[in-house]
Amino acid sequence: MDNRQEVREFLVSRRAKITPEQAGLPTAGKRRVPGLRRSEVAMLADVSVEYYAKLERGNLAGASPSVLDAVARALRLDDAERAHLLALARAADGTSALLRRRPKGKQWNPHRSLQWVLDAVTEGPAFTRNGRLDLLAANRLARAFYSEVYTGPQQPPNLARFQFLDPAARRFYPDWGFFADICVEILHTEAGRNPQDKGLHDLVGELSTRSDEFRTRWGARNVRHHGTGSKTFHYPVVGDLTLAYEGLELSAEPGLTLTIYTAEPNSPSDEALRLLSSWTGTQAESIVDSHSPACRGEVVQDARSSKPSAEGEPGSAV
């Protein structure tokens, strides 16, 4: 990623979002630019116009924490945007976390203990991803839940490619636009933290070329912290599920996140998730390949008439 271009476009886009009224400034006279002028941001940050112009041209190298904090306050950045600005400044100084970079050609494999932890989660999908949204490790329920992602042609499975390039995503994500926004904002946050990631650069280039929806969202320069919340999915076998999620950063593997989905106890989504858990493995994957209404109806009827067997027997929840 081009750090200077990213800095320039991020600061310009944030400045365009703040109106003079929001900043407590007078609005008299005709304005040629949306949002604040450079001179107004400089005044609010208590720096010279020349110095702020230098920052906005993409030169964050050497900017002090106090200046960055003043600019963040002037632009009314939220926590995710402030963190992104600081990450861009670290990249400009050449101090991005080198631990996030892996030796070229070395494929990452999960520690056995990490896979044990994932497999110990029996009530919901659990998986590990990187900042590019590659699915790197998962429990059986997550592999069944994301079976259409796993059966894609490229490996490792990637949620961003599925989101923007696979028509099945429109069915799996009922609120497709919401998921698309989240997807791009996660990638943009990762670009600020890890600008030298060639895999991320290639992914962004591919999606920008092949998807107008991605290209438009990428140009918005929005970022977010993606740690907790809820999402609604549509799975062919069990219908709609509203699941809460928690994302946990792995201290032993900087840059990787362990995500766990779960449903509200005793809710319809909880019942649907338990039903899905009884169909993990190859049976669930073959079900997803059957998209005809008649076949899907037969599968749902069969699945809903089945009960998970006793613990330790084939077909039990995992």
Side-chain angles (χ1 to χ4, degrees):
M1 301 291 174
D2 184 334
N3 178 262
R4 293 176 69 95
Q5 179 181 351
E6 178 65 26
V7 171
R8 180 169 60 251
E9 295 184 1
F10 178 68
L11 289 177
V12 169
S13 67
R14 299 312 96 173
R15 177 162 61 88
K17 285 187 169 185
I18 306 300
T19 66
E21 292 87 352
Q22 289 174 319
L25 299 175
T27 59
K30 188 175 182 180
R31 305 181 68 88
R32 295 182 298 173
V33 296
L36 298 179
R37 302 183 177 102
R38 281 183 176 178
S39 59
E40 292 169 333
V41 177
M43 179 186 68
L44 292 170
D46 196 23
V47 298
S48 70
V49 176
E50 293 76 12
Y51 186 72
Y52 178 74
K54 173 187 171 184
L55 298 180
E56 200 173 273
R57 286 195 295 269
N59 189 358
L60 285 185
S64 69
S66 61
V67 166
L68 295 173
D69 187 59
V71 170
R73 288 198 307 271
L75 294 174
R76 304 171 74 89
L77 302 186
D78 62 23
D79 289 344
E81 292 168 329
R82 184 183 295 263
H84 187 60
L85 179 63
L86 295 177
L88 292 173
R90 287 193 296 271
D93 286 333
T95 57
S96 293
L98 296 179
L99 289 176
R100 299 177 65 84
R101 300 175 61 183
R102 300 186 178 277
K104 291 183 179 180
K106 183 176 180 180
Q107 183 177 359
W108 181 81
N109 292 308
H111 295 295
R112 290 187 303 163
S113 57
L114 174 58
Q115 190 62 57
W116 294 341
V117 169
L118 292 170
D119 292 338
V121 179
T122 61
E123 300 297 327
F127 59 92
T128 300
R129 66 162 178 84
N130 59 20
R132 296 192 299 271
L133 297 177
D134 292 327
L135 294 176
L136 302 176
N139 66 359
R140 289 183 63 196
L141 187 50
R143 289 192 293 272
F145 187 70
Y146 283 121
S147 57
E148 291 182 299
V149 184
Y150 275 93
T151 55
Q154 292 182 293
Q155 297 299 320
N158 182 270
L159 291 170
R161 284 195 182 93
F162 176 71
Q163 175 77 47
F164 289 98
L165 304 182
D166 193 327
R170 302 276 181 170
R171 177 180 63 251
F172 186 61
Y173 302 126
D175 190 350
W176 185 90
F178 171 70
F179 278 84
D181 289 342
I182 291 175
C183 181
V184 175
E185 289 162 8
I186 291 174
L187 292 180
H188 226 127
T189 301
E190 179 66 9
R193 288 194 301 244
N194 198 12
Q196 304 304 319
D197 186 341
K198 183 179 184 301
L200 177 61
H201 184 275
D202 292 345
L203 175 65
V204 170
E206 175 189 358
L207 296 179
S208 296
T209 300
R210 300 178 61 186
S211 170
D212 292 338
E213 291 94 342
F214 178 86
R215 187 166 56 251
T216 298
R217 286 174 169 84
W218 186 260
R221 294 305 196 257
N222 292 328
V223 294
R224 76 158 56 210
H225 287 156
H226 190 64
T228 186
S230 65
K231 300 176 182 178
T232 298
F233 305 87
H234 179 82
Y235 195 86
V237 176
V238 299
D240 290 346
L241 305 94
T242 299
L243 303 178
Y245 64 89
E246 294 290 335
L248 311 173
E249 297 291 332
L250 299 183
S251 59
E253 294 287 350
L256 301 189
T257 301
L258 189 156
T259 300
I260 300 174
Y261 283 106
T262 189
E264 180 182 352
N266 303 317
S267 66
S269 292
D270 186 33
E271 179 184 355
L273 195 57
R274 290 178 184 274
L275 177 62
L276 179 60
S277 73
S278 69
W279 284 85
T280 55
T282 57
Q283 209 168 16
E285 293 179 4
S286 65
I287 289 170
V288 177
D289 290 334
S290 304
H291 295 310
S292 69
C295 181
R296 195 174 303 166
E298 292 173 4
V299 168
V300 172
Q301 173 97 21
D302 188 23
R304 292 194 181 279
S305 64
S306 302
K307 300 293 184 181
S309 60
E311 184 178 359
E313 297 178 358
S316 61
V318 297

